[in-house]
Amino acid sequence: STDVDSSSFTYSLVAGAGDTDNAAFTISGSDLKITASPDFETKASYAVRVRTFDGTSTFEKAFTIFINDVNEAPTDITLSASAINENVVANSTVGALSSTDVDSSSFTYSLVAGAGDTDNAAFTISGSDLK
């Protein structure tokens, strides 16, 4: 707060124009804190109304808190088919890979080392096709 005759302030969330999302925040000392982890894809901004009190007088102001969109990791990967007929020619497509990601629709696939990689050498990936 800016005040020509005080340097000690108490802050609170108050009702009034711009208080739409006050319930999603708390104030601790002079820090405005969000009560739950925000998600840009669900809500890109919040509106709060704050009061400052210098012991004698008050001043209120509405603020818009913008949520930065960060790239979340993919949450799932699927294969359209998990069986292939015997005796098919080499490099036949087993199935198409697809991913679930709230931020992206373009993916790159690769076979990686780790649990379940026993037969990786028997397959290749071309674009999104497991062959």
Side-chain angles (χ1 to χ4, degrees):
S1 297
T2 303
D3 190 330
V4 296
D5 57 3
S6 183
S7 61
S8 178
F9 305 96
T10 303
Y11 299 95
S12 57
L13 293 162
V14 295
D19 72 348
T20 307
D21 300 305
N22 279 11
F25 294 84
T26 61
I27 293 180
S28 176
S30 62
D31 294 332
L32 179 66
K33 297 184 176 191
I34 194 160
T35 57
S37 182
D39 177 26
F40 176 86
E41 285 75 25
T42 302
K43 188 169 180 73
S45 66
Y46 292 81
V48 296
R49 185 172 187 86
V50 178
R51 175 183 290 158
T52 182
F53 177 60
D54 67 1
T56 306
S57 301
T58 64
F59 177 80
E60 296 178 6
K61 186 174 181 179
F63 294 92
T64 301
I65 311 300
F66 296 97
I67 306 305
N68 295 324
D69 187 17
V70 296
N71 185 20
E72 288 97 355
T75 57
D76 197 12
I77 184 171
T78 59
L79 180 60
S80 65
S82 59
I84 191 166
N85 292 333
E86 67 177 337
N87 300 319
V88 296
V89 297
N91 292 318
S92 292
T93 299
V94 175
L97 297 161
S98 61
S99 298
T100 302
D101 186 334
V102 297
D103 300 307
S104 184
S105 59
S106 176
F107 304 96
T108 302
Y109 300 98
S110 59
L111 296 165
V112 297
D117 71 349
T118 307
D119 296 313
N120 276 10
F123 297 89
T124 61
I125 295 177
S126 176
S128 63
D129 291 335
L130 179 67
K131 296 181 173 249

